[in-house]
Amino acid sequence: MDYQTDLKTVTDHELLAAFLGEHNDRKRCLELRTQFWNTFPTLADYKHAPQRRKDDFFGSTDKSLCQLLIGIEIGERIARASRPLLGNIYSSKQVGEKLITEFRNDQQENLCLICLDVKHRIISQQIIFKGTLTTCPVHPREIFAVALEQHAESILIAHNHPSGMTEPSTNDIEFTHRLEQCGQLLGINLLDSFVIGQCDYLSLREEKIIEAAG
C-alpha cells in the first residue's frame, strides 16, 4: 500500500492485509487474514467479543498476529488519551513571573502564545515568532490559526523587550486591540497581553489597557 494513500478510504480488509503484509510473505499473509476474519467477521465483532475469546485467539497464533494485537492496543490508547495539560492559570502575576524566568535573558523579541481550555488550563504554549533585536513581525491570523487548531477557549499572549523595559509601545497596544477584536469575532477570548522585561512584567489587563473579558 502506498503510504501517501488516505487511510480513511481504505476498507477494513485492505487495511489488515497491508498491516500483515509488512511482516509476512504473500501466502502467510493470506493465511493470517483468513484466520482473523474467520474468527472475527468484522471489526465490530472483534471490538465486542469477550476478552477470553480474544485471548484464546491471539494465544494460539504466531507473532505476526501478536503484532496486530500491539497495534490495536496502541490505537485504543490513542483513542482514550486526553489532551495534555501544562498547568492552570490562576492570576496574571503567576503567568508574568513564569515568563520573566523564560525570557529575561533573550536578546531577540519573541511572541509567545498560551492557549487555554474552558477551565483556564494550559493546553498549549509555543513561540509563534522570533524577531530581530527590535522587531517581531506578526499577524493575528497566525495566532488564531494556532488557537483554532488547539480548540482554545481563550488565549494569552506575551512578548519580551530585549531592552529589559516593560513600557508597552504604541504598536504593542494597537496590536493587542486588534487581537482582542479578532478574538471577539471568533469567540476566543484574549485574557491578557504581557510585556516581559528583565526583572518585571506588565499586564495590559492589569493596566486596564484592555478590558476584562465578559
Side-chain angles (χ1 to χ4, degrees):
M1 179 181 294
D2 186 344
Y3 286 101
Q4 299 301 316
T5 301
D6 182 357
L7 294 182
K8 294 185 184 300
T9 67
V10 177
T11 67
D12 294 344
H13 284 254
E14 290 171 336
L15 196 60
L16 183 64
F19 180 87
L20 294 175
E22 291 291 320
H23 306 281
N24 304 277
D25 59 37
R26 188 171 183 177
K27 180 180 178 182
R28 184 57 182 149
C29 175
L30 179 59
E31 292 173 352
L32 293 170
R33 288 159 51 193
T34 301
Q35 190 176 358
F36 182 89
W37 293 122
N38 283 344
T39 307
F40 308 104
T42 68
L43 293 183
D45 290 308
Y46 172 84
K47 178 179 180 180
H48 297 290
Q51 189 60 45
R52 173 184 282 183
R53 186 179 175 197
K54 296 177 184 178
D55 292 342
D56 289 344
F57 174 73
F58 284 104
S60 63
T61 58
D62 66 16
K63 291 183 179 179
S64 295
L65 280 176
C66 289
Q67 289 296 313
L68 175 61
L69 185 61
I70 293 171
I72 291 170
E73 178 63 24
I74 290 173
E76 290 180 345
R77 293 190 185 191
I78 291 173
R80 294 194 302 267
S82 58
R83 182 190 292 250
L85 299 174
L86 305 178
N88 286 73
I89 295 297
Y90 298 107
S91 68
S92 294
K93 181 180 179 182
Q94 171 202 3
V95 178
E97 291 179 348
K98 176 179 183 293
L99 293 173
I100 289 172
T101 301
E102 294 181 12
F103 297 118
R104 68 192 316 165
N105 295 317
D106 204 318
Q107 296 304 304
Q108 283 188 314
E109 188 168 327
N110 302 294
L111 181 71
C112 177
L113 170 65
I114 300 175
C115 295
L116 310 172
D117 67 10
V118 69
K119 296 183 179 180
H120 289 186
R121 296 177 298 192
I122 300 173
I123 53 179
S124 172
Q125 177 178 335
Q126 58 186 287
I127 302 298
I128 301 297
F129 286 98
K130 273 185 173 290
T132 64
L133 285 174
T134 57
T135 63
C136 182
V138 65
H139 192 282
R141 63 174 170 262
E142 282 85 9
I143 291 175
F144 283 104
V146 175
L148 290 167
E149 182 180 85
Q150 295 293 329
H151 302 287
E153 191 274 339
S154 56
I155 60 172
L156 300 165
I157 63 163
H159 73 282
N160 64 305
H161 282 176
S163 67
M165 307 300 290
T166 59
E167 183 69 23
S169 67
T170 300
N171 285 339
D172 292 339
I173 294 172
E174 290 178 351
F175 179 67
T176 298
H177 284 314
R178 287 177 65 197
L179 283 181
E180 191 173 29
Q181 292 166 1
C182 292
Q184 289 170 356
L185 290 173
L186 293 170
I188 300 175
N189 292 323
L190 174 63
L191 292 185
D192 209 339
S193 176
F194 295 86
V195 180
I196 307 299
Q198 180 67 24
C199 301
D200 201 2
Y201 72 90
L202 181 138
S203 159
L204 273 69
R205 181 77 64 198
E206 290 179 345
E207 296 297 316
K208 301 189 185 305
I209 296 173
I210 53 178
E211 299 178 358

